[in-house]
Amino acid sequence: MLLLGYDLGSSSVKAVLLEADSGLAVASAQFPPAEMPIHAPQPGWAEQSPEDWWACIREVTRILLTMPGADAHAIGAIGISYQMHGLVALDADGAPVRPAIIWCDSRAVATGAQAFEALGTTYALGHLLNSPGNFTASKLRWVQQHEPDTYARIRHIMLPGDYIAYRLTGEIRTTVTGLSEGILWDFAENRLATELLHLYEIDQTLIPARCPVMGEQGLLTPAAAAALGLPSGIPITYRAGDQPNNALSLQVLEPGEIAATAGTSGVVYGVTDRVQYDPQSRVNTFAHVNHGANTRLGVLLCLNGCGILNSWARRITGATSYPMMNEAAATITPGSEGLTILPFGNGAERILGNLNPQAAVLGLDLNRHTHGHLYRAVQEGIAFALAWGIGIMRETGLDPAVIRAGSANMFLSPVFRETLAAATGVPIALYETDGAAGAARGAGLGLGYYPDTATAFAGLRQAGLTEPDPRLTTALAGAYDRWREALTRQTGIA
């Protein structure tokens, strides 16, 4: 039997066919080959078309099915991973009423801050575990206040993964994990966050019915099957946001385990069994994929300015590939000879209390700094930001012993891995997996094909381990101090 996993990101859609018994990928594909556009009608805004996502799902499936080993009739279940925190709004006919407002859009920061004040810190953190912030509920309130004619047409709201599941099954549903990432779930009462909905004057009928994260969520309709070239009736048995799903893909399911990714965003995600929160909401707590009878919450640290900074450096220097950039970065001494980069400038950063300080390049010496210095400073700046964020996670009681990451994106760079390990003092274990493979394994668990997670992850193998190097820690100490000083000058945060 094959398991089909989709991973809807803001850059592309990835798909994989996993052989269920061995846990090995028999085919994988990505579309588009270049990054999907993110539209910014105003500074700080970020939108994408849900119809474009569906078009990418169709095309990536078509490509996948042309590959050796791909057999559409052998697919037993489908799983979905998706970019978190977005807002998709549908009319009575099930059509989007406007472009989706995606995760890195900053327009609702003030809306969430006002709600946080109105609800009160004790209530908001005690029940929601977060400030309403710049999350899905606040984005919907923004539409209500600023686009009233559009809001009047809305009959259903959902997250990006809910929309893909809807296109596959015709069912408008969501999960507790999804509701929690939208700040629509009350953990103290174990129900919808009705007080926040009341404050925002949002009708509960706009919120989809719930289905399990792992379990049958609907069947592939004949229309969707024809569009994808698949048999109808395949069950969709898993959906989760990209960061909880990344943790699942790395078998990070139990308290104290930590996952990381450095793709479009830079994320560290730890699992806890304690109902806890950061009083300043710099890191955020959501229901994990296995939250239920046993408390399993994910504490998420997110850096928006990760992949976009690396791609900016490639674009302005005309670099032919990321591997070439990684090789050039490795020729530069640690600390980038004084070149310091703050990796922001892609919307409001939650680790900075929703400030949007913009990116900064500091200490540039036109006589000696080369493209290689820029590439290394980019990687060090991102690693330092994540290390600074891990310090915040430690304040909440999550102290990683090892960071698990997929062998992909910036974790392919030895400079990035070594810098992050040295700056945090935590080893980094790499695994040959990704979000699409995680979604496929989740589909196998939701189908009941795997009796337990150990069986589901029997094929997961460690691909490498980067230990903290004390010599590099010493060499980077001055560079990290400069980075911290620059952060304070730019933001006022000590």
Side-chain angles (χ1 to χ4, degrees), residues 155-433:
R155 294 296 177 269
H156 310 281
I157 65 110
M158 56 184 61
L159 298 158
D162 300 331
Y163 177 76
I164 297 304
Y166 161 65
R167 294 301 301 260
L168 294 173
T169 67
E171 302 278 350
I172 296 178
R173 304 172 77 184
T174 192
T175 65
V176 168
T177 299
L179 290 170
S180 77
E181 74 181 66
I183 317 301
L184 290 163
W185 189 250
D186 186 321
F187 285 90
E189 303 293 336
N190 199 37
R191 57 166 169 77
L192 270 179
T194 52
E195 286 78 2
L196 179 63
L197 292 173
H198 178 73
L199 177 68
Y200 278 168
E201 301 178 282
I202 294 171
D203 192 327
Q204 291 187 40
T205 61
L206 300 184
I207 311 299
R210 296 191 293 277
C211 62
V213 174
M214 299 182 199
E216 188 170 311
Q217 302 177 358
L219 303 177
L220 191 65
T221 65
L228 298 174
L230 298 175
S232 64
I234 300 173
I236 287 71
T237 55
Y238 171 82
R239 82 181 76 169
D242 51 9
Q243 299 311 326
N245 177 72
N246 181 62
L248 172 80
S249 74
L250 295 161
Q251 203 178 355
V252 169
L253 295 164
E254 297 305 321
E257 296 176 339
I258 302 280
T261 184
T264 304
S265 57
V267 170
V268 179
Y269 182 99
V271 179
T272 181
D273 58 357
R274 293 188 293 165
V275 179
Q276 61 185 21
Y277 50 81
D278 173 26
Q280 300 178 56
S281 288
R282 297 163 298 174
V283 297
N284 300 102
T285 303
F286 308 114
H288 195 29
V289 295
N290 56 342
H291 179 66
N294 295 319
T295 299
R296 294 292 183 269
L297 303 176
V299 180
L300 186 150
L301 175 166
C302 180
L303 171 69
N304 293 355
C306 179
I308 194 170
L309 175 60
N310 208 29
S311 65
W312 171 83
R314 177 179 176 178
R315 185 173 64 254
I316 67 164
T317 61
T320 56
S321 70
Y322 291 118
M324 182 275 280
M325 293 167 61
N326 295 340
E327 290 173 8
T331 67
I332 306 301
T333 56
S336 305
E337 295 193 70
L339 187 60
T340 299
I341 292 182
L342 295 180
F344 309 121
N346 190 30
E349 295 283 0
R350 296 202 295 274
I351 60 172
L352 303 179
N354 279 326
L355 292 177
N356 187 1
Q358 307 302 320
V361 179
L362 305 167
L364 178 63
D365 187 327
L366 299 176
N367 292 306
R368 61 192 174 111
H369 287 145
T370 65
H371 288 175
H373 289 89
L374 178 66
Y375 302 149
R376 183 169 193 116
V378 163
Q379 296 191 25
E380 288 180 344
I382 293 168
F384 289 159
L386 292 178
W388 186 77
I390 286 173
I392 297 171
M393 294 185 79
R394 285 173 168 144
E395 293 174 14
T396 72
L398 261 172
D399 193 7
V402 64
I403 295 172
R404 297 185 184 186
S407 185
N409 300 317
M410 294 193 73
F411 279 101
L412 292 172
S413 168
V415 167
F416 179 74
R417 295 196 307 271
E418 292 162 3
T419 301
L420 184 59
T424 59
V426 181
I428 297 170
L430 290 188
Y431 293 83
E432 294 293 345
T433 189

Side-chain angles (χ1 to χ4, degrees), residues 418-474:
E418 292 162 3
T419 301
L420 184 59
T424 59
V426 181
I428 297 170
L430 290 188
Y431 293 83
E432 294 293 345
T433 189
D434 61 20
R441 284 192 166 91
L445 286 163
L447 185 65
Y449 187 83
Y450 297 127
D452 50 45
T453 55
T455 306
F457 290 92
L460 186 65
R461 295 288 183 270
Q462 186 171 311
L465 182 68
T466 301
E467 294 278 4
D469 184 339
R471 294 170 298 176
L472 184 58
T473 301
T474 300

